[in-house]
Amino acid sequence: MPKMKTHSGAAKRFRRTAKGYKHRQANRSHILTKMSSKRKRQLRGLNDVSDADTKAINRLLPTKAR
């Protein structure tokens, strides 16, 4: 049986952590001039992926799954 391939789109969007996955928040790519500084600051960094979505991401990233 051939090896399972990693979903390249998911690999670019999710990072594996000890507890699950992290992802970048939306609305941070362009048209930022109308957004308040507080909102832009809150959108920085990475957020955890919900437990409900972790199972689906494990299927997309088989080499990184536990």
Side-chain angles (χ1 to χ4, degrees), residues 17-31:
T17 63
K19 295 180 182 178
Y21 293 96
K22 285 191 170 282
H23 71 97
R24 187 173 164 226
Q25 292 188 72
N27 303 316
R28 190 71 168 110
S29 56
H30 62 102
I31 314 177

Side-chain angles (χ1 to χ4, degrees), residues 33-55:
T33 52
K34 61 177 79 168
M35 203 180 289
S36 69
S37 298
K38 179 181 180 179
R39 182 74 183 126
K40 287 187 279 193
R41 190 166 56 247
Q42 289 173 337
L43 289 171
R44 273 187 215 148
L46 303 173
N47 273 1
D48 295 330
V49 172
S50 67
D51 294 335
D53 295 329
T54 301
K55 186 178 177 183

